[in-house]
Amino acid sequence: MLPWFTESHADRLVDVRDTSLAKLVRDDMLALILKGELVPGQRINEPDVASRLKVSRVPVREALRELESSGLVVSRKHSGVFVRQLQAADIRDLYQMRGLLDGFAGRCAASLADRERQALVALLGQSVDAMLKAAGRHDVQGYYGENLHFHWAIVASAGNGQLLETYRSIVQKLHLSRLKNLSQDLGMQASMAEHVEIVQAIQASDPLRCEALMARHVGGAYARLLDAAPPPLEAARPLPA
């Protein structure tokens, strides 16, 4: 579903050197978290992971440390390691940061040279068409996945490696808050209209308008999430413009 999503490497674990195991174990657990097979609040059992992947507990512990540093799991003394549950303030802060990054990426995309910009416009047009088809089928998960591809293409077009890494980290964390809501239509029609405007701004080579549209689009997504959320998330509503 996520643009950078990597399927499990479990079948390759027995064939690699120990120096590679921690990364492969991390990728395997990351895949389970992002697919919702390990849900927010769930305890990750080290022996079970090691047994399933046929590795020792050493690479499992190292992988969990990496996932903790990325903010996807939390370690609790005397309790173990758990998939992170985002609090209302966390979600608000992450949406604020995503709005800034999406706005910057939109400005960069609309400033591309003509040939690169038109290639991006064509790619985004295909993505918009895919979202329209998903919406027509009431396929919320399909729509959500294509929506992520749409935004990732714009961010990637900036050619900024640090932007990509930061953006990926933010969206992966926000994904934890979306797993329980993927069966809901959180404003697909409004979102699609905004996507069309963004593509038009890129095609017209209008960086300032594209930046504003991207930031507003993320703010709208946050507002729609709040409208569909229970009271704890509602309490974090303030989001400076």
Side-chain angles (χ1 to χ4, degrees):
M1 179 178 290
L2 297 172
W4 52 86
F5 184 77
T6 303
E7 290 294 340
S8 170
H9 294 282
D11 58 335
R12 294 167 48 199
L13 290 174
V14 295
D15 299 321
V16 298
R17 297 180 302 173
D18 287 346
T19 52
S20 303
L21 282 178
K23 180 180 184 303
L24 292 171
V25 173
R26 181 205 65 192
D27 288 349
D28 178 80
M29 286 192 286
L30 175 61
L32 295 178
I33 291 170
L34 296 181
K35 288 190 293 187
E37 294 182 27
L38 288 173
V39 300
Q42 181 175 342
R43 184 175 182 272
I44 299 175
N45 188 290
E46 284 185 23
D48 286 351
V49 174
S51 176
R52 178 173 60 83
L53 299 179
K54 297 181 175 61
V55 298
S56 73
R57 292 176 65 173
V58 173
V60 175
R61 288 171 185 159
E62 186 176 339
L64 287 172
R65 283 195 293 269
E66 286 193 46
L67 288 173
E68 184 173 19
S69 69
S70 69
L72 290 173
V73 304
V74 291
S75 177
R76 299 175 189 163
K77 193 173 183 180
H78 305 309
S79 297
V81 179
F82 298 80
V83 180
R84 184 178 178 185
Q85 286 185 298
L86 293 179
Q87 302 303 309
D90 296 326
I91 297 171
R92 178 200 61 208
D93 293 349
L94 288 166
Y95 266 101
Q96 286 178 339
M97 289 303 300
R98 184 179 173 184
L100 290 172
L101 297 181
D102 267 297
F104 173 75
R107 175 154 50 91
C108 292
S111 302
L112 289 170
D114 186 67
R115 184 174 179 178
E116 294 174 307
R117 196 176 71 258
Q118 294 307 322
L120 177 61
V121 166
L123 179 63
L124 295 177
Q126 294 173 3
S127 187
V128 169
D129 288 343
M131 280 186 274
L132 283 169
K133 291 177 182 176
R137 299 191 303 269
H138 302 288
D139 177 5
V140 179
Q141 292 201 28
Y143 180 90
Y144 173 67
E146 192 58 47
N147 175 64
L148 290 174
H149 279 84
F150 178 93
H151 285 272
W152 184 250
I154 294 174
V155 172
S157 74
N160 186 315
Q162 291 301 312
L163 171 64
L164 282 172
E165 287 302 310
T166 303
Y167 190 82
R168 175 166 58 185
S169 174
I170 288 172
V171 174
Q172 284 184 167
K173 291 171 191 169
L174 284 174
H175 186 67
L176 295 177
S177 72
R178 293 296 303 270
L179 289 172
K180 293 182 180 179
N181 296 314
L182 288 183
S183 62
Q184 302 177 31
D185 175 357
L186 296 180
M188 285 193 292
Q189 297 301 322
S191 181
M192 280 191 297
E194 292 164 3
H195 287 143
V196 171
E197 286 187 295
I198 289 166
V199 176
Q200 290 173 342
I202 294 174
Q203 186 164 29
S205 190
D206 191 337
L208 294 181
R209 175 167 170 73
C210 192
E211 180 177 21
L213 287 171
M214 289 284 282
R216 191 184 310 153
H217 177 63
V218 175
Y222 178 67
R224 289 188 286 271
L225 180 64
L226 288 178
D227 288 340
L233 182 56
E234 185 72 18
R237 179 175 286 278
L239 184 62

